[in-house]
Amino acid sequence: MNGSRLMKLLGLIAGVGILDIVILSPGLLGVEIGGESALETASGVTLLVISLLVLLYGSYALLFKPPVLAPVKNMKTHEDYIAALSHYRNAKGLKKDIAHALDQLDRLEKKKTTLSDVLGQKFDQAELSYKKFHSVIDAVEQLFHLNIKGILNKLSVFDASGLSAFTSEQNPRQFSNKLVQEKTALHNEYLASITGYLGANEEILLKLDKLLLEISQLDSTDYQNIEDMPCMQEMDALIKQTKFYKQ
């Protein structure tokens, strides 16, 4: 369970507990279990039963119920991508790929934070140089997320367990060799496309590392030659290829 769900669960427990204490405290609302009035007792018992049901349902929804995922095309935040990839975390034959994609997202956030800190040390936020660096970093991040969307689109239509069921030894002669080969080729094509997206994002992360190194080595005399920096030129070329990554 992630931190957000844990906090929601703790908030639910605290909220229900406080409500019960307020209502059942003697002298506040006149509701008391075992009091003189049968109506008071019935109301108190009913409150406790309802509280228990709310806690049980809330715990189920937060602990076991899968989160509602946003459509891939509408995903924008880091949390959106994490939640969507986590949905496929246990997909047969793809666990390592999903874990790799989640690790890449985590590393991207850390590199963005480090880059922002270094840029803040080298430039004033109002400077044109600062804005140029940030615009390139933002554009590369968008390309990175396009690759994640590509992975998610493939996962949404890919059934990794289908091939093993299709070619299981239970039905070794049920299908022709040609059909099995075509099914296997399609399976491998899906895997290759996911690997391709992961590789493209690994390249982006490497370029961000290079950019960080180049920025850290900048002297004041170099500030006017940002566009000539090798890594900036590489990133600019990569950004221009964005149209080839569109879904």
Side-chain angles (χ1 to χ4, degrees):
M1 180 174 61
N2 58 37
S4 176
R5 289 195 169 196
L6 177 60
M7 292 303 297
K8 289 179 181 179
L9 179 58
L10 292 176
L12 175 65
I13 294 172
V16 171
I18 292 172
L19 179 63
D20 287 348
I21 291 172
V22 170
I23 294 178
L24 296 177
S25 293
L28 290 180
L29 298 180
V31 178
E32 182 179 357
I33 298 177
E36 297 179 357
S37 171
L39 180 60
E40 288 182 25
T41 299
S43 299
V45 171
T46 301
L47 173 65
L48 292 178
V49 171
I50 293 175
S51 298
L52 177 60
L53 292 176
V54 169
L55 286 176
L56 288 175
Y57 178 78
S59 298
Y60 162 75
L62 292 171
L63 294 175
F64 304 107
K65 192 175 181 180
V68 178
L69 300 179
V72 173
K73 65 179 181 179
N74 294 337
M75 290 182 181
K76 296 180 180 179
T77 68
H78 176 73
E79 290 72 22
D80 287 339
Y81 295 113
I82 292 292
L85 286 171
S86 296
H87 180 73
Y88 298 99
R89 188 188 295 270
N90 295 318
K92 186 175 181 180
L94 293 169
K95 292 181 180 180
K96 290 184 178 180
D97 292 321
I98 303 303
H100 191 178
L102 288 167
D103 176 66
Q104 287 181 334
L105 279 168
D106 182 58
R107 283 187 284 148
L108 176 67
E109 288 299 297
K110 291 179 180 178
K111 293 183 193 302
K112 283 172 51 186
T113 299
T114 304
L115 280 165
S116 181
D117 291 342
V118 173
L119 285 174
Q121 296 170 12
K122 290 284 185 179
F123 306 96
D124 186 274
Q125 293 187 9
E127 287 186 62
L128 180 60
S129 298
Y130 182 92
K131 294 178 181 178
K132 285 182 178 179
F133 277 118
H134 253 291
S135 65
V136 169
I137 293 170
D138 289 342
V140 171
E141 181 186 14
Q142 291 178 15
L143 180 56
F144 183 99
H145 286 156
L146 278 175
N147 290 329
I148 294 294
K149 287 182 178 180
I151 292 174
L152 291 170
N153 282 330
K154 290 294 185 294
L155 291 172
S156 66
V157 297
F158 174 63
D159 180 10
S161 63
L163 181 71
S164 58
F166 184 84
T167 59
S168 66
E169 295 183 0
Q170 296 177 1
N171 302 298
R173 302 183 183 280
Q174 185 174 354
F175 305 108
S176 67
N177 289 336
K178 180 181 178 181
L179 185 58
V180 173
Q181 289 173 0
E182 290 180 354
K183 179 85 172 182
T184 303
L186 182 61
H187 170 271
N188 292 336
E189 184 179 342
Y190 273 114
L191 292 180
S193 64
I194 291 175
T195 301
Y197 285 123
L198 291 173
N201 276 353
E202 205 62 47
E203 181 182 356
I204 290 174
L205 292 171
L206 177 60
K207 291 186 184 301
L208 288 175
D209 281 333
K210 291 181 179 180
L211 179 63
L212 178 60
L213 178 61
E214 290 186 6
I215 294 174
S216 65
Q217 293 175 340
L218 275 176
D219 294 323
S220 59
T221 56
D222 299 320
Y223 288 178
Q224 297 178 352
N225 303 316
I226 290 175
E227 291 83 357
D228 297 330
M229 293 171 59
C231 194
M232 287 290 282
Q233 292 181 345
E234 289 181 18
M235 286 193 168
D236 184 60
L238 191 63
I239 292 167
K240 290 177 180 177
Q241 297 176 15
T242 301
K243 61 181 180 179
F244 298 113
Y245 290 85
K246 289 183 178 178
Q247 309 309 309

